[in-house]
Amino acid sequence: MEKKDLRIFIRMQKAQFNKEELERMSVPITNRLLASPRVKSAKTILMYYSLDDEVNTHNILNHFLNEGKTILLPAVLDDKNMELRHYEGPQDLVGGFFHIMEPVGRLFNDYPSVDVAVVPGMAFDSRCNRLGRGKGYYDRMLPKLSNAYKIGMCFDFQKLPGIPADEHDIKVDEVI
């Protein structure tokens, strides 16, 4: 299948579940993330503020803050670029470029200091290829995070046998 067709397929899979079911299905996934030795030892973590159809990250953001970790969230600047901003609580969020809640905290530019990057995806495969939403934001951002261990998070139905990958597509190091 082509990437476009895979995105349609995954959207159809997601549509079978309501928001509450997806939130319930998120718990074991986020528990595995919290148990990860790399995440436990990380000082600076790039996260994402989940949409209703993604693995819910809202509670773990607060968990990380309570542990004293530096939390970063992406903010979309335009149709090609995003930047990283500090997240210090829900008061830092506003509706952004694609009506996604984004941070308005301090700008973050010390990319090599990011220990872990937790990234969403429409789908992942066994070779750690990631299928995004098609705009390439993470494929442009992740190479800047030269020292970050990249973790993809998804529901079981988002794990596919294979995803077509182009030379510019950035793999993750692990999929939870």
Side-chain angles (χ1 to χ4, degrees):
M1 273 188 181
E2 291 186 28
K3 290 180 178 183
K4 181 180 85 170
D5 298 322
L6 288 173
R7 288 184 186 99
I8 292 168
F9 173 74
I10 293 297
R11 281 189 192 100
M12 289 172 34
Q13 297 299 306
K14 287 181 175 186
Q16 296 179 35
F17 303 96
N18 64 38
K19 180 182 175 183
E20 291 76 26
E21 290 170 319
L22 292 175
E23 284 181 11
R24 196 168 37 255
M25 292 164 56
S26 295
V27 173
I29 299 166
T30 56
N31 284 344
R32 283 184 55 204
L33 179 71
L34 293 172
S36 164
R38 288 191 185 266
V39 171
K40 284 182 175 186
S41 66
K43 291 180 178 48
T44 303
I45 302 176
L46 169 62
M47 288 293 300
Y48 64 95
Y49 194 82
S50 57
L51 299 171
D52 288 346
D53 69 346
E54 295 175 323
V55 173
N56 189 309
T57 62
H58 304 179
N59 291 334
I60 58 175
L61 290 172
N62 296 327
H63 177 86
F64 290 147
L65 285 176
N66 291 335
E67 288 188 336
K69 296 182 185 299
T70 298
I71 304 302
L72 309 170
L73 293 178
V76 174
L77 297 174
D78 53 38
D79 64 344
K80 295 249 187 265
N81 301 295
M82 65 183 184
E83 63 188 6
L84 302 183
R85 294 196 165 267
H86 288 266
Y87 172 79
E88 294 175 8
Q91 74 279 358
D92 286 357
L93 297 171
V94 297
F97 202 78
F98 293 105
H99 308 290
I100 297 170
M101 296 303 286
E102 295 181 345
V104 293
R106 291 174 289 122
L107 185 63
F108 180 87
N109 286 314
D110 186 13
Y111 297 143
S113 73
V114 176
D115 301 306
V116 171
V118 180
V119 297
M122 290 293 288
F124 295 89
D125 69 15
S126 61
R127 295 181 311 272
C128 292
N129 289 308
R130 175 185 166 273
L131 177 69
R133 293 188 181 259
K135 300 285 187 190
Y137 287 106
Y138 279 93
D139 290 323
R140 286 186 291 278
M141 173 62 70
L142 290 174
K144 298 175 184 177
L145 308 177
S146 55
N147 298 317
Y149 185 79
K150 298 173 289 302
I151 300 174
M153 279 203 316
C154 68
F155 298 108
D156 283 343
F157 62 82
Q158 292 175 275
K159 293 181 198 166
L160 301 178
I163 294 173
D166 299 319
E167 61 189 44
H168 66 271
D169 292 329
I170 304 299
K171 291 183 176 202
V172 295
D173 298 304
E174 176 183 357
V175 178
I176 296 178

